[in-house]
Amino acid sequence: MPATVVLGAQWGDEGKGKLVDRIAEQATWVARFQGGNNAGHTVVLGDQILKFHLLPSGITRKECNLVLGDGMVIDPWVLDTELKNWQESSGEDPRGDRLFVSERAHIILPFHRYLDGLDKKIGTTGRGIGPSYADKINRIGLRFGDVEEVKDNDEWYESTVERMNASLAAAGCQDRITKEGLTTDVNWIWDNYSSCINNTGLMIDNALKMNEHVILEGAQGCLLDIDQGTFPYVTSSVTSRGNASHGAGIHPGHIDEVIGITKAYITRVGNGAMPTELLDEAGDHLGTVGHEFGTTTGRKRRCGWFDAVVMRHANRINGFTGLALTKLDVLGGLDELNICVAYELDGKEILEMPASATALARCKPVYVTMPGFPSQTLIEWLGIAKKANDEKLGFSILPTAAQQYIKRIEAIVGVPCSSVGVGPDRDATIDRVE
């Protein structure tokens, strides 16, 4: 069975965790392939709200194996906290049983967090992601598979501490690394994770050869991709389809289905241009009704109308086979809905995003306007979704204006919606009926 890739199609925070948790019911493996604890996945199970930063969203499915893949940078202390929280709520410690950490994944150390905390320009999470990826590219990072080799190596500790402290001093950081502290940290990592460090790419490849269902779970979104995003206001990894197989340690021929997750509007956290950003009552409505605060940082998200220019770009990069439209319910209660179909840049209308961040900041949105639809309570939306799926009604159960909105997005982007989310609960999703 080919692998399914789930990707963010905007600036992240689109609801990937909810979808992965839902479709993981039919999967035997869920693997993260990039990023670190700068990601945030929220899964709502009735009254229980679960928030993950490193653990794949499939963890709620006890029969599902979990992989932190080759392309990730992992903070072992954050992971330990998540595992303890999961064990407290579920009674399970999955390490070495169904949770496996790639031997090729890089480790975020205190040094990386110190450096990242100096950022005042990009608006990073300060979690050490960028500096860890920088060490990876500079070929000086520490991988989980190398811990056993260096944990008793005094020469490695001395040279590493010297290098790290020189970098901290050059960056104007007052924090310092000690040999004793680094030794303690590395040995703690080995003691806590040696049971689950593995050749995860081989494990996933074998699972696919056995016709098992594998989900490759992305973090952040296409517009935060280091190459294809709104540089320099991006993350430090390749967030798109091209890295899904590579970051998981398998070849791209394994991938068949690519689901792009997109909100029915758009949000962004951090700095950088966002042409459809709303600073009016409509923006307040989206932020308040949509509870738009970052899972990882708690920062308020910037909200705007749906941007089809962004989505066309994301689709060109990723080749989506379907869109999972989330948070349609949040639009309920607005009299009019706008969809951005083009930009005006320096007096000319353009249909594609400019590569330059300064040029993007000068872009003005060109909208088509559509009628709004009534608001519903979350309980009412959940009931609508359950009725739609139980009776195979699909999107036809939605208000006419909501159906028209979905069809317009499909037509503009050129990709069908495979599902529509109408609330945070796992079951508040309506599947498409052909």
Side-chain angles (χ1 to χ4, degrees), residues 188-347:
W188 179 88
I189 292 168
W190 178 251
D191 291 342
N192 280 271
Y193 296 104
S194 59
S195 65
C196 61
I197 299 171
N198 215 310
N199 184 344
T200 55
L202 180 62
M203 299 174 82
I204 296 171
D205 186 66
N206 287 335
L208 288 164
K209 289 176 179 176
M210 295 294 291
N211 205 35
E212 296 183 43
H213 186 194
V214 175
I215 298 172
L216 304 181
E217 179 183 29
Q220 291 87 43
C222 179
L223 274 293
L224 293 176
D225 186 288
I226 186 67
D227 293 321
Q228 304 297 340
T230 49
F231 186 89
Y233 304 102
V234 293
T235 192
S236 301
S237 61
V238 175
T239 64
S240 302
R241 175 181 185 166
N243 192 36
S245 56
H246 190 74
I250 56 175
H251 66 73
H254 280 303
I255 295 173
D256 182 29
E257 186 177 19
V258 183
I259 303 174
I261 316 297
T262 172
K263 286 176 181 170
Y265 48 101
I266 200 165
T267 62
R268 181 169 194 175
V269 173
N271 301 329
M274 179 180 168
T276 67
E277 183 172 9
L278 293 169
L279 301 175
D280 56 9
E281 291 182 2
D284 290 339
H285 172 97
L286 297 176
T288 301
V289 178
H291 302 289
E292 294 296 354
F293 295 91
T295 303
T296 297
T297 64
R299 290 181 292 183
K300 184 178 180 180
R301 297 176 184 140
R302 299 153 62 191
C303 299
W305 294 119
F306 186 90
D307 192 332
V309 181
V310 163
M311 285 301 302
R312 282 196 297 265
H313 176 81
N315 185 42
R316 176 172 62 84
I317 300 303
N318 295 289
F320 298 129
T321 58
L323 298 179
L325 192 69
T326 64
K327 291 197 166 185
L328 182 70
D329 57 296
V330 176
L331 297 180
L334 292 171
D335 294 332
E336 290 185 340
L337 306 176
N338 288 317
I339 297 175
C340 173
V341 295
Y343 295 153
E344 181 184 311
L345 175 60
D346 300 336

Side-chain angles (χ1 to χ4, degrees), residues 333-372:
L334 292 171
D335 294 332
E336 290 185 340
L337 306 176
N338 288 317
I339 297 175
C340 173
V341 295
Y343 295 153
E344 181 184 311
L345 175 60
D346 300 336
K348 296 181 180 180
E349 187 171 298
I350 60 174
L351 298 177
E352 299 295 331
M353 293 178 59
S356 166
T358 54
L360 183 64
R362 297 199 305 275
C363 287
K364 299 177 182 178
V366 177
Y367 290 120
V368 294
T369 300
M370 303 191 68

Side-chain angles (χ1 to χ4, degrees), residues 20 24 27-32 56-59 64-68 213-217:
V20 172
T28 50
W29 294 80
V30 175
R32 277 276 306 273
S57 302
I59 192 168
C64 192
N65 295 300
L66 312 167
V67 166
L68 301 183
H213 186 194
V214 175
I215 298 172
L216 304 181
E217 179 183 29

Side-chain angles (χ1 to χ4, degrees), residues 111-112 114-116 118 131 134-135 138 140 159-177:
F111 161 74
H112 301 113
Y114 295 155
L115 275 184
D116 206 15
L118 300 175
D135 275 4
N138 285 325
I140 53 177
S159 63
T160 301
V161 168
E162 182 180 0
R163 171 182 60 80
M164 288 180 170
N165 285 334
S167 296
L168 291 170
C173 182
Q174 301 302 310
D175 295 294
R176 293 294 182 268
I177 306 300

